[in-house]
Amino acid sequence: MGFLHTWLLFTLVRAADPPCKLWGPPDIPQLRRDGDVTIGGIFSFHNSWEEMMPTFTSKPERPKCKSLSFREFQNAQTMVFAIEEINNRADILPGISLGYKIYDSCGSIEMALRASLSLVNGANGSQMPCQRTNTIQAIIAETSSTPTIAISATVGPLNLPVISHFATCACLSDRTKHPSFFRTIPSDYYQSQALAKLVKYFGWTWVGALCSDNDYGNNGMNTFIKAATEFGVCVEFSEAFFRTDPREEILRIVEILKKSSSKVIVAFVSYSDMDVLLGEVAQHNITGLQWIGSESWISDMNIATGKWQQILRGSMGFAIPKAEITGLKEFLIKLNTSSGIDLYKELWETIFQCKLPSQETAGSKIMCKGNESLNNVQNQYTDGTELQIANNVYKAVYAVAYALNSTISCSKWDTNQSKCLDEVLNALREVSFFTERGEKVFFDKNGDPAARYDLLNWQQGEDGTTAFVKVGFYDASLQPGFQLSFNNISIVWAKNQHQVPVSVCSESCPTGTRKAVKKGKPVCCYDCIPCAEGEISNKTDSVMCLKCPPEFWSNKWRDTCVPKLVEFLSFEDVMGIILVLFSLLGVSFTLGIAVVFFVHKDTPIVKANNSELSFLLLFSLTLCFLCSLTFIGRPTEWSCMLRHTAFGITFVLCISCVLGKTIVVLMAFRATLPGSNVMKWFGPLQQRLSVITFTLLQFLICVLWLTISPPFPYMNMNYYQERIILECKLGSNFGFWAVLGYIGLLALLCFILAFLARKLPDNFNEAKFITFSMLIFCAVWITFIPAYVSSPGKFTVAVEIFAILASSFGLLFCIFAPKCYIILFRPEQNTKKHMMGK
């Protein structure tokens, strides 16, 4: 409703004919010049003001302003200079003179609004109450964001262009609220982005933040915090203050600075507010902080040359690029105090600390001598080296002039000024020109110029004064990775001049660890947790550890995935070497016994024990000992198929021979009975056929197993996390247990038959030794099953080899050791008579 009321009120003011004054006593412009077209200006010539208390008999008076600002005076004079320059040019607005009305807002929002209303209403202090006004075509205002927002919101409904030279609040880019606002200084949005990228560039993830408690500071800081958060920067504290706050509030902020753990302070503060804060900081001797400043104070000479140079040494921040305006310095120093302009007189008296002769009383000041000259004065008014803001005023005036030039017919109208303002506003949106320095001036759809900043670093010169050294540049129009750049000039830092300060809540987590946020703390405050086994982090400040691929495992430092140790029973292992030795020892014993039997093949004890089956049994035992070697070494597709089939077939061959010998013993004693003819049914031919038949059945089982689902090498990663067990997968468990079961069946049958023949009358009854060997064989393989199932890794293979060797040694020694003992050590018992016994 407030906005609607303002619009209606101004409509009434501009439509009134005659336009009667609604605002009481009008403000008188501090600087003015009549022209065909008038441009308004509002500057804070003074930093503060005091209200004049009216009496019952007196009329309200204009507030009294104080604390003259040299910088603002320079900005206003730049506007006058630009208008005078344009009036002297023939290529812009030919035949039309520009005039100006410049008001003093005294650093007050109320006074700025009052000045804008006076400009809109056309008050000049001399015209009659209902005289037609000479409406201005644009307003150059203002230095601060908050009064500029108020001015833009007030005159915006009238489509009156407002161009600011130093109002940087990003909120002014909102075209719905500020449809007629333009500016020649970049929005704080870009500066906030630049500050966030600067902080991120130097690795400062833990910073403090201060801002002015106004639209400039609050909006700028909100944008900075949002951008910094996206870059992973945490803000330890964010405090807003204003220069008029009670001293207790400023001291509270000073205490926060003293207790802060962050070493970098981002100050989005106006220069006047910064001046108040630094006074308290200096009293508490707070040094060693790295200050990062906004453009409002980072290039302000008053602060740089103040008594707190040591506090701000090494400060860094973005500022408007330096500029030169030809002829401006000469214009500034040719101040005409005899023109009757009170503001010029005040400036003169303030600079030279004297009273001009025209004053009635000199008071405490001496009278001016008349020989004073600004040529030898060095202050912010006469400074021609820091013209960044003045250049923005200069560009603003020229932008209005070029817009008026494109609507030159409208500029001469005395009627229908609303239509004229619309045309000027549209022309401003399309304006584009180059300054004499080659800088392109234009406005985007939001009324903002191109965002370019110099990165300044406060360095101490040889004479002890602070110098603003350009160490980098920021251009928002470039690609994100190239917007911030640095030159080759060394940067001076706050605490250690040549070392970048460190400002982090927690030190960087090294490789092999991950960040774990502390409970109740910002994300930048964390503990470094070592990665779990099997996980790594190969870069610093990892948020999470990466799981290694299945075939890999983390190294000792948890920063690299290395191939897992592949484990299998190899010939180089101690266990593998021992098993190979026992296997070869078994082969040696077997071959030795075969040699003994062959040498004594004609002796009764060899003949009596079926020498043909004995030699076949020794051959099969040799194969049994050798087949254990196939279980040692790196499993391959062929070795996996060979080891189980060779084991199954050779053991069946061995058990078949033992079974044949057992049957021979039984048949032999049956044949001694009168009338028995049983031996002809189990002669040598039948013995050979029985061995072949039993072995062939096992061979067929193995062929089916290998055909349907053969064993294959398998990398077992389930049993151990840190290493791979390379083993032979059975393929078909049924095939494996069928092979093993068939061996067990033959062994059980052999054991039963041998057990039945153990008491047959004979001095050398082989059935007793076969019974004992089968007992050992069965015991070994019965205990093998649980040991095989429960043994991990290569021990599974070792258990299987042990079972093979143990059962083979059992058969070898139980069956052949007694015979060899008699042959070698008791040859007197190796006779037919002794063998027949009873």
Side-chain angles (χ1 to χ4, degrees):
M1 289 300 292
F3 177 81
L4 181 59
H5 288 166
T6 303
W7 185 84
L8 289 173
L9 185 58
F10 275 101
T11 303
L12 289 172
V13 171
R14 300 186 62 81
D17 189 17
C20 300
K21 298 297 180 65
L22 301 178
W23 305 105
D27 280 345
I28 299 175
Q30 275 64 46
L31 299 175
R32 63 170 296 168
R33 171 182 170 164
D34 294 331
D36 298 325
V37 180
T38 305
I39 302 175
I42 303 174
F43 296 90
S44 295
F45 289 100
H46 298 83
N47 291 326
S48 59
W49 57 282
E50 58 183 22
E51 190 74 47
M52 303 299 294
M53 298 301 295
T55 63
F56 288 104
T57 58
S58 65
K59 296 180 180 180
E61 296 184 19
R62 190 178 189 274
K64 183 179 180 181
C65 300
K66 55 184 181 179
S67 300
L68 191 67
S69 171
F70 293 155
R71 182 66 72 189
E72 279 293 88
F73 209 110
Q74 185 191 68
N75 294 337
Q77 283 291 85
T78 302
M79 177 178 171
V80 174
F81 170 77
I83 291 176
E84 297 289 348
E85 189 177 74
I86 292 170
N87 286 335
N88 293 326
R89 292 178 60 167
D91 57 332
I92 304 177
L93 295 174
I96 298 176
S97 65
L98 287 180
Y100 53 83
K101 293 179 182 179
I102 301 176
Y103 285 83
D104 183 8
S105 66
C106 298
S108 165
I109 299 174
E110 294 84 351
M111 294 288 285
L113 273 176
R114 186 169 177 173
S116 66
L117 297 179
S118 296
L119 287 169
V120 171
N121 199 29
N124 57 19
S126 62
Q127 64 184 57
M128 297 302 293
C130 290
Q131 182 181 348
R132 177 177 298 278
T133 63
N134 181 17
T135 306
I136 60 171
Q137 300 299 315
I139 298 177
I140 310 296
E142 207 210 79
T143 304
S144 299
S145 293
T146 301
T148 305
I149 292 170
I151 294 170
S152 177
T154 301
V155 303
L158 304 175
N159 285 341
L160 179 62
V162 177
I163 306 178
S164 175
H165 54 282
F166 207 48
T168 56
C169 180
C171 58
L172 286 165
S173 298
D174 188 349
R175 272 288 181 247
T176 60
K177 296 180 180 179
H178 306 281
S180 62
F181 177 77
F182 301 85
R183 54 182 156 196
T184 52
I185 188 169
S187 164
D188 278 338
Y189 170 80
Y190 300 104
Q191 183 182 191
S192 300
Q193 290 280 336
L195 289 172
K197 291 179 180 178
L198 179 68
V199 168
K200 177 62 178 176
Y201 178 85
F202 289 109
W204 300 323
T205 58
W206 187 241
V207 300
L210 298 175
C211 68
S212 294
D213 194 7
N214 53 24
D215 293 295
Y216 166 77
N218 291 325
N219 284 281
M221 184 52 64
N222 289 338
T223 305
F224 166 77
I225 292 176
K226 182 179 179 181
T229 303
E230 293 176 356
F231 294 145
V233 178
C234 295
V235 178
E236 182 183 9
F237 60 87
S238 178
E239 297 293 334
F241 69 98
F242 200 67
R243 57 184 173 273
T244 57
D245 286 345
R247 186 168 183 262
E248 291 74 16
E249 178 66 16
I250 306 299
L251 291 175
R252 184 186 66 84
I253 294 176
V254 171
E255 287 299 318
I256 292 175
L257 291 175
K258 290 170 67 175
K259 297 177 181 178
S260 168
S261 60
S262 57
K263 303 303 179 185
V264 175
I265 307 298
V266 179
F268 218 100
V269 182
S270 66
Y271 64 90
S272 52
D273 295 336
M274 193 68 179
D275 191 69
V276 174
L277 175 65
L278 290 175
E280 297 295 342
V281 172
Q283 288 188 17
H284 288 76
N285 194 28
I286 301 176
T287 59
L289 294 178
Q290 179 65 48
W291 291 87
I292 305 298
S294 59
E295 95 294 332
S296 179
W297 68 269
I298 198 65
S299 59
D300 188 87
M301 286 302 300
N302 283 340
I303 295 178
T305 56
K307 56 187 177 182
W308 30 76
Q309 291 186 39
Q310 296 302 317
I311 297 175
L312 297 177
R313 184 181 65 179
S315 295
M316 187 183 297
F318 292 100
I320 307 304
K322 280 191 174 185
E324 293 181 10
I325 304 176
T326 305
L328 177 60
K329 183 174 178 62
E330 291 75 12
F331 179 82
L332 292 175
I333 61 178
K334 292 179 181 179
L335 192 66
N336 185 7
T337 58
S338 61
S339 60
I341 299 176
D342 293 338
L343 202 58
Y344 287 172
K345 295 179 180 179
E346 183 184 356
L347 176 65
W348 192 273
E349 293 172 353
T350 303
I351 292 176
F352 295 107
Q353 293 295 301
C354 65
K355 284 288 185 179
L356 290 170
S358 59
Q359 300 296 319
E360 296 179 357
T361 58
S364 59
K365 295 183 180 179
I366 62 174
M367 295 295 293
C368 296
K369 298 177 180 180
N371 60 352
E372 293 85 1
S373 174
L374 292 175
N375 289 320
N376 300 322
V377 174
Q378 293 293 331
N379 59 21
Q380 286 189 321
Y381 173 72
T382 60
D383 183 17
T385 60
E386 300 294 334
L387 297 177
Q388 295 95 323
I389 310 306
N391 186 52
N392 288 340
V393 177
Y394 185 80
K395 291 187 292 186
V397 175
Y398 264 89
V400 174
Y402 276 105
L404 291 171
N405 190 65
S406 63
T407 58
I408 191 168
S409 59
C410 177
S411 303
K412 298 180 179 181
W413 290 346
D414 292 329
T415 60
N416 199 5
Q417 294 187 2
S418 296
K419 181 179 179 182
C420 186
L421 287 176
D422 291 340
E423 290 192 23
V424 173
L425 182 62
N426 292 329
L428 268 174
R429 291 169 180 162
E430 302 297 330
V431 74
S432 178
F433 64 93
F434 288 91
T435 65
E436 63 177 12
R437 306 291 298 179
E439 179 184 0
K440 186 178 181 181
V441 179
F442 67 94
F443 302 107
D444 63 14
K445 62 180 180 179
N446 297 320
D448 294 325
R452 299 185 181 93
Y453 300 96
D454 285 342
L455 180 59
L456 302 184
N457 180 222
W458 287 24
Q459 299 185 13
Q460 193 171 24
E462 295 180 357
D463 57 354
T465 60
T466 299
F468 302 140
V469 180
K470 179 181 176 181
V471 294
F473 190 75
Y474 183 84
D475 189 347
S477 63
L478 300 177
Q479 294 297 321
F482 303 94
Q483 292 175 342
L484 179 62
S485 60
F486 294 85
N487 52 32
N488 296 324
I489 299 177
S490 299
I491 298 175
V492 174
W493 303 103
K495 191 172 184 179
N496 188 328
Q497 294 190 22
H498 305 291
Q499 184 176 357
V500 180
V502 177
S503 185
V504 295
C505 181
S506 301
E507 293 293 334
S508 294
C509 288
T511 56
T513 63
R514 64 174 178 85
K515 296 195 293 187
V517 179
K518 295 180 179 179
K519 189 175 182 180
K521 296 285 187 179
V523 294
C524 298
C525 301
Y526 48 81
D527 293 319
C528 297
I529 307 298
C531 291
E533 291 186 347
E535 296 180 349
I536 65 160
S537 65
N538 53 11
K539 59 182 181 180
T540 58
D541 291 331
S542 294
V543 178
M544 59 183 295
C545 295
L546 303 176
K547 195 175 184 65
C548 289
E551 297 84 3
F552 292 83
W553 193 250
S554 56
N555 62 356
K556 177 182 178 181
W557 300 276
R558 306 284 197 274
D559 59 358
T560 305
C561 287
V562 296
K564 286 183 178 179
L565 178 66
V566 179
E567 183 179 272
F568 57 90
L569 187 61
S570 68
F571 289 99
E572 290 79 16
D573 288 342
V574 175
M575 186 184 302
I577 294 173
I578 293 173
L579 292 175
V580 168
L581 291 176
F582 274 100
S583 176
L584 296 177
L585 185 64
V587 171
S588 301
F589 283 154
T590 305
L591 293 176
I593 292 172
V595 169
V596 171
F597 266 55
F598 181 78
V599 172
H600 301 86
K601 63 180 183 295
D602 296 326
T603 59
I605 195 168
V606 176
K607 290 182 178 180
N609 284 278
N610 197 332
S611 59
E612 185 176 341
L613 285 179
S614 295
F615 282 112
L616 188 57
L617 177 58
L618 289 171
F619 172 72
S620 64
L621 283 173
T622 303
L623 295 179
C624 287
F625 284 117
L626 292 176
C627 82
S628 65
L629 298 178
T630 62
F631 288 82
I632 304 175
R634 188 181 187 89
T636 63
E637 187 175 352
W638 286 102
S639 67
C640 287
M641 290 189 292
L642 177 64
R643 64 172 58 172
H644 289 99
T645 52
F647 154 72
I649 293 172
T650 55
F651 259 78
V652 165
L653 177 62
C654 179
I655 300 300
S656 299
C657 293
V658 175
L659 182 61
K661 290 174 71 67
T662 306
I663 295 174
V664 167
V665 171
L666 285 173
M667 294 299 179
F669 282 97
R670 280 275 191 187
T672 58
L673 296 176
S676 176
N677 196 23
V678 71
M679 281 304 294
K680 72 177 182 177
W681 299 107
F682 203 73
L685 179 61
Q686 288 78 10
Q687 294 171 22
R688 298 189 194 99
L689 287 176
S690 66
V691 171
I692 293 173
T693 302
F694 289 139
T695 305
L696 184 61
L697 286 175
Q698 182 74 306
F699 180 78
L700 293 176
I701 294 173
C702 292
V703 169
L704 289 174
W705 182 15
L706 296 179
T707 303
I708 297 173
S709 181
F712 58 91
Y714 172 70
M715 300 176 72
N716 188 345
M717 291 175 272
N718 300 322
Y719 202 90
Y720 297 107
Q721 291 184 330
E722 72 280 4
R723 60 183 186 267
I724 298 174
I725 305 299
L726 190 58
E727 59 186 15
C728 285
K729 200 76 171 177
L730 295 176
S732 171
N733 289 325
F734 178 79
F736 173 73
W737 292 110
V739 168
L740 208 61
Y742 184 65
I743 296 173
L745 179 65
L746 291 180
L748 181 63
L749 178 62
C750 185
F751 172 74
I752 293 172
L753 294 177
F755 182 79
L756 294 176
R758 73 189 187 283
K759 293 185 178 180
L760 292 176
D762 193 354
N763 281 342
F764 191 80
N765 186 358
E766 194 176 23
K768 290 186 290 184
F769 304 112
I770 293 175
T771 302
F772 191 65
S773 67
M774 286 297 103
L775 188 63
I776 295 175
F777 184 90
C778 292
V780 168
W781 286 101
I782 289 173
T783 56
F784 159 78
I785 295 174
Y788 178 81
V789 173
S790 60
S791 297
K794 61 185 180 182
F795 296 103
T796 304
V797 179
V799 167
E800 194 167 358
I801 296 174
F802 176 78
I804 293 172
L805 294 178
S807 56
S808 299
F809 275 113
L811 289 172
L812 181 66
F813 289 128
C814 290
I815 294 176
F816 293 99
K819 299 181 181 67
C820 290
Y821 177 76
I822 293 174
I823 293 173
L824 297 176
F825 302 106
R826 294 292 181 89
E828 68 277 5
Q829 296 182 5
N830 190 7
T831 60
K832 186 175 180 180
K833 179 180 179 181
H834 186 268
M835 293 293 297
M836 294 298 294
K838 297 179 180 181

